[in-house]
Amino acid sequence: MTSRAAIVGPIPEKGAEVVSSPSLEQVREFIRASKAESTLRGYQSDWRHFLDWCQKHDVCPLPSSPETVASYIAECAGYLKTGSIQRRLNAIAEAHKAVGLESPTSAGMVRNTLKGIKRMIGTAAVQKTPTLTDDIRVMVDATDAGPIGSRDRALILLGFAGAFRRSEMVGLDVPDLGFTRDGLTVTLRRSKTDQEGMGRKIGIPYGSNPETCPVRALQSWIEQASITVGPVFRSINRHGHVQPGRLSGIDVARIVKKLVDRSGLDATKYAGHSLRAGHATTAAIGGASERSIMNQTGHRSVQMVRRYIRDGNLFRENSAGKLGL
């Protein structure tokens, strides 16, 4: 397991009593659990990049000066997006905090350098194209026969209907599913915005078209794969045998791109997130309220979900359509 202290290595000890103290070990365990494993791994990668840069320029990385950090991000601006630069700064800050040092990232020189970078190269994130309902129908038609097609249909239909993140879909286990008369209840034990594991339930109603019904597609996959325990979405070997191991988030993106490409669309514009974005955009086009979309997506920020709603309303509520042209 990756620890926060592992970003820079062992935290220096101040005395033998501290080393042997069981309470310190408990504190470290809580620190390790304070952030997602993926976040800590990202910090480690970013910190290693900063270390290499410091070695190349013969400057001290820890403690680092504001001048050093400002120069570093100024160089990064030549090839990184502002979001990636901010992540590098977060890693530098965490590394200093891990050994009890004041972070240089809060210095005015660093903040102003970052502000200038944002003004010059912009902060807009590159959004993947959302898959709308018509796209999903074509993708379903493009799936394979046999277990691979059954799994892929269940994956994209459930991901679209539930507005799930990739990590949420591949993290599903059989006990997380509840089939009822009204449809499917999915219990998310943990997600990106729920690291404490409070969990939340999401309803997936039956679709009006049996061919694109997410509930029926999932039932078909589970029955065909004879899955009774463990992961819901699994890998399949070249002989068509369902394996015990769960898919990864990268696998979800690969499946989406494969089906998008077969549908005649530009696969470079789509990714696993396209299913989630497609749900929000399509729901907005259909007149769904912000609240209902957020209930399904789990977004905590209205601003985040409004990006999709704006896209969905570009033509539905467009004053140019009232001009009589």
Side-chain angles (χ1 to χ4, degrees):
M1 179 179 288
T2 308
S3 70
R4 181 175 175 179
I7 298 172
V8 296
I11 299 176
E13 308 293 356
K14 293 186 178 180
E17 310 95 350
V18 178
V19 176
S20 60
S21 170
S23 61
L24 180 59
E25 287 305 314
Q26 188 175 34
V27 168
R28 284 174 170 163
E29 190 64 29
F30 286 137
I31 291 175
R32 281 194 290 268
S34 68
K35 295 185 182 296
E37 284 295 305
S38 58
T39 300
L40 291 173
R41 287 194 298 270
Y43 282 165
Q44 283 187 311
S45 175
D46 291 335
W47 176 246
R48 283 194 297 269
H49 185 274
F50 180 62
L51 288 178
D52 291 341
W53 185 89
C54 288
Q55 184 176 18
K56 177 182 176 182
H57 291 81
D58 195 27
V59 292
C60 180
L62 195 69
S64 182
S65 68
E67 291 81 5
T68 294
V69 176
S71 297
Y72 170 66
I73 64 173
E75 184 172 316
C76 288
Y79 57 89
L80 288 180
K81 297 176 182 177
T82 53
S84 298
I85 294 173
Q86 182 61 66
R87 195 187 66 196
R88 295 276 170 90
L89 288 174
N90 293 344
I92 294 170
E94 288 294 321
H96 282 73
K97 292 176 186 177
V99 292
L101 295 172
E102 183 177 353
S103 171
T105 61
S106 59
M109 174 180 286
V110 177
R111 293 201 307 270
N112 288 333
T113 301
L114 181 61
K115 184 177 180 180
I117 291 171
K118 289 180 177 180
R119 287 177 64 88
M120 290 184 68
I121 68 176
T123 60
V126 177
Q127 298 292 322
K128 289 298 182 181
T129 302
T131 52
L132 306 183
T133 301
D134 287 342
D135 301 323
I136 293 294
R137 291 193 181 109
V138 178
M139 291 167 67
V140 167
D141 290 339
T143 54
D144 298 286
I148 291 179
S150 179
R151 179 201 63 191
D152 292 355
R153 284 190 293 275
L155 184 73
I156 63 171
L157 287 170
L158 184 66
F160 180 67
F164 294 122
R165 298 178 176 88
R166 294 180 303 168
S167 59
E168 293 169 347
M169 282 193 288
V170 299
L172 290 176
D173 290 322
V174 173
D176 300 329
L177 308 178
F179 293 94
T180 69
R181 209 172 37 177
D182 297 318
L184 170 70
T185 299
V186 178
T187 301
L188 292 180
R189 308 292 176 184
R190 191 181 297 273
S191 68
K192 180 180 178 180
T193 56
D194 180 23
Q195 295 297 328
E196 290 79 22
M198 295 179 64
R200 68 185 185 96
K201 290 187 177 182
I202 298 163
I204 310 291
Y206 283 100
S208 57
N209 184 350
E211 297 299 318
T212 54
C213 172
V215 182
R216 295 183 181 94
L218 186 61
Q219 285 177 317
S220 177
W221 157 243
I222 291 174
E223 290 171 4
Q224 185 173 345
S226 300
I227 297 173
T228 57
V229 295
V232 173
F233 293 110
R234 308 181 179 200
S235 59
I236 300 172
N237 66 20
R238 57 181 180 149
H239 303 294
H241 298 149
V242 179
Q243 303 300 295
R246 71 177 72 242
L247 294 180
S248 68
I250 294 175
D251 292 324
V252 175
R254 177 181 55 79
I255 291 168
V256 169
K257 285 180 174 291
K258 174 185 71 175
L259 297 177
V260 162
D261 185 58
R262 289 181 183 178
S263 302
L265 302 172
D266 185 355
T268 62
K269 296 181 179 179
Y270 295 81
H273 185 71
S274 294
L275 301 175
R276 178 172 165 83
H279 174 107
T281 304
T282 305
I285 292 173
S289 67
E290 288 182 356
R291 182 174 180 179
S292 65
I293 295 174
M294 291 178 69
N295 284 341
Q296 196 76 353
T297 64
H299 277 110
R300 292 183 177 180
S301 166
V302 175
Q303 286 69 30
M304 286 295 292
V305 81
R306 278 179 180 170
R307 292 187 307 175
Y308 305 116
I309 293 175
R310 282 197 299 270
D311 290 344
N313 288 336
L314 280 176
F315 297 98
R316 191 170 68 88
E317 296 180 6
N318 191 324
S319 61
K322 309 296 184 182
L323 301 179
L325 297 177

